[in-house]
Amino acid sequence: MTSTQGPGRSSGFGDGTAAAHAGLPEPQPGQPFLPGPVFAAPYHLDPESGPSAAANGYGRVDNPTWRALEAAIGGLEGGDCVVFSSGMAAISAALLTHLAPGDTLVMPSDGYYKARALAARLPGVTVREVPTAGPYPPFDEVRMVLLETPANPGLDVCDIAELSAAAHAAGALLAVDSTTATPLGQRPLELGADLVVASGTKALTGHSDVLLGYAVAAPELAGRLRAWRDDTGGVPGPFEAWLAHRSLSTLDLRLGRQSANAAAIARLLSGRPEVLSVRWPGLPGDPAHEVASRQMRRIPGVVTFTLPDAAHATRFLNAAKLIYAATSFGGTHTSADRRAQWGDPVPEGLIRLSCGIEDTEDLLLDIDAALNEARGAAAG
Ligand SMILES: *Cc1c(COP(=O)(O)O)cnc(C)c1O
């Protein structure tokens, strides 16, 4: 039920080694460590036997740059990976290849808002929204369960192994949006999930410079998603795929610093009276702490906290010098997003803070000063 083997461990390596070597070809004298992106739409074909003679025929179907990235992510997640143009392209592929009119989908009420918006538009599909922390209804008559853990922005966590077993007992397929965790944070397939979907735009690539998504599953299911990608065309460009692969080598380092920063910031925020709530699954006492400690191999660098109102939150964001106001998360630069402005059903003063890789002490000083300034203005 608990994952004891982490990514890369199965091949005998630690996370840093696994991430740095993920998907790299065998060394060849005179060749780069990671081959550059292959820019081609059509490739030369064998005039007689056509596309069956060689791997590459047409760029929408397959290309060598994706194959390298898919080998990398698939190795870290422990399954067959299919890369997409964005996280939403991966999620829509997962939903649209499995759900037909009359089907029922269970998904988080506190999950990524665009996924919920998409599900609500699927003709004839009944959507049951459940908070990530539960309680979950029986899965009888359910075709598919989509979890998001940790959920975004509330950072609740659910038990993947327990819910996978319940879904399978009811004949349902279980998918996990694992964006916030990344494959170094948890490996849902090992915990019993049928499918992982994720945005590679966030911590996986982590430099705030690429949009990407992926799905990982056993080969048969992955093959259906690959066919769907070809049919619908939600493909990443080769440059984006290469950039993502290049960024993977620092994943362990980035997550380590982000998580350490989150731990220190969560502690600071917890001691401030104007902070109405702090959520970080690594905090002892956090409602998600117990299940996250059991299930996750590391806690993400995202902290969610609530200031009294929108004006207070805005004063804080204006006062902080090291925090960029931005949506998205998981990048090397600390950023923050007041989620109510996007329509998330959360308090007006709720901020999702994504810790970057800056020095912990600098961030603590900046946040402390910004909190003081925001509160001073409220008092005055
Ligand atoms: C950002 C995000 C997505 C969507 O990813 P894109 O790459 O922006 O399409 C899906 N799920 C979660 C949890 C996300 O945070």
Side-chain angles (χ1 to χ4, degrees), residues 21 37 50 57 97-98 111 133 152 167 180 206 235 246 265-266 288 322 346 348 351 361 375:
H21 286 266
T97 50
H98 286 94
N152 168 21
T180 305
V235 298
R246 194 221 41 176
I265 291 168
L322 292 177
V346 297
E348 286 291 327
I351 291 174
E361 197 53 36
R375 195 174 56 176

Side-chain angles (χ1 to χ4, degrees), residues 69-84 90-91 93-94 98 144 173-178 182-183 186-190 192-199 204 213-223 225-226:
L69 177 62
E70 289 174 342
I73 300 173
L76 295 174
E77 289 278 6
D80 189 353
C81 175
V82 187
V83 288
F84 286 90
I91 291 170
H98 286 94
M144 182 174 185
L173 183 102
L174 187 125
V176 177
D177 182 334
S178 197
T182 85
Q186 68 193 8
R187 301 221 292 179
L189 298 181
E190 274 180 3
D194 301 292
L195 175 64
V196 173
V197 289
S199 171
L204 185 83
Y214 70 86
V216 187
E220 192 272 331
L221 207 166
L225 295 170
R226 200 165 270 123

Side-chain angles (χ1 to χ4, degrees), residues 86-88 91 112 148 152 177 179 199 201-202 211-212 329:
S86 68
M88 278 311 299
I91 291 170
Y112 190 63
E148 185 185 316
N152 168 21
D177 182 334
T179 300
S199 171
T201 311
K202 317 291 170 52
L211 277 159
L212 192 90
F329 58 91

Side-chain angles (χ1 to χ4, degrees), residues 12-359:
F13 294 120
D15 288 358
T17 315
H21 286 266
L24 297 187
E26 285 298 312
Q28 275 189 42
Q31 294 302 312
F33 296 177
L34 175 65
V38 176
F39 296 110
Y43 294 75
H44 291 296
L45 285 183
D46 183 298
E48 197 180 321
S49 50
S52 57
N56 308 312
Y58 186 60
R60 197 192 63 246
V61 185
D62 191 12
N63 72 60
T65 311
W66 296 350
R67 282 200 298 279
L69 177 62
E70 289 174 342
I73 300 173
L76 295 174
E77 289 278 6
D80 189 353
C81 175
V82 187
V83 288
F84 286 90
S85 52
S86 68
M88 278 311 299
I91 291 170
S92 58
L95 299 185
L96 293 168
T97 50
H98 286 94
L99 296 167
D103 284 344
T104 297
L105 166 71
V106 171
M107 71 186 307
S109 55
D110 50 350
Y112 190 63
Y113 72 125
K114 283 286 177 193
R116 283 184 282 120
L118 170 68
R121 282 204 306 270
L122 297 178
V125 173
T126 303
V127 179
R128 280 196 214 138
E129 293 197 357
V130 182
T132 294
Y136 286 81
F139 293 147
D140 313 319
E141 312 296 321
V142 170
R143 171 83 181 95
M144 182 174 185
V145 179
L146 172 64
L147 306 176
E148 185 185 316
T149 181
N152 168 21
L155 300 179
D156 270 318
V157 174
C158 58
D159 189 321
I160 296 171
E162 191 182 298
L163 292 167
S164 295
H168 294 157
L173 183 102
L174 187 125
V176 177
D177 182 334
S178 197
T179 300
T180 305
T182 85
L184 295 192
Q186 68 193 8
R187 301 221 292 179
L189 298 181
E190 274 180 3
L191 299 168
D194 301 292
L195 175 64
V196 173
V197 289
S199 171
T201 311
K202 317 291 170 52
L204 185 83
T205 61
H207 288 70
S208 310
D209 55 11
V210 63
L211 277 159
L212 192 90
Y214 70 86
V216 187
E220 192 272 331
L221 207 166
R224 282 161 62 189
L225 295 170
R226 200 165 270 123
W228 172 267
R229 180 181 66 184
D230 181 21
D231 291 348
T232 58
V235 298
F239 183 73
E240 281 73 10
W242 173 83
L243 195 54
H245 197 163
R246 194 221 41 176
S247 301
L248 270 186
S249 67
T250 55
L251 181 60
D252 173 62
L253 292 176
R254 289 185 277 109
L255 295 179
R257 177 61 74 82
Q258 289 169 338
S259 188
N261 282 342
I265 291 168
R267 274 196 301 274
L268 169 79
L269 293 169
S270 301
R272 300 287 302 218
E274 75 275 35
V275 174
L276 305 181
S277 85
V278 182
R279 291 301 308 270
W280 188 62
L283 273 182
D286 186 275
H289 182 68
E290 189 269 330
V291 58
S293 313
R294 230 176 335 115
Q295 174 169 282
M296 301 191 72
R297 300 188 57 252
R298 58 176 87 205
I299 306 297
V302 184
V303 178
T304 295
F305 66 104
T306 307
L307 289 169
D309 51 38
H312 200 130
T314 304
R315 285 196 303 277
F316 167 76
L317 294 175
N318 280 329
K321 295 184 175 59
L322 292 177
I323 302 177
Y324 293 158
T327 195
S328 192
F329 58 91
T332 52
H333 305 86
T334 296
S335 65
D337 199 14
R338 193 175 67 77
R339 286 303 302 177
Q341 71 190 338
W342 299 96
D344 275 359
V346 297
E348 286 291 327
L350 180 139
I351 291 174
R352 183 185 64 202
L353 182 75
S354 173
C355 301
I357 61 167
E358 299 90 347
D359 290 280

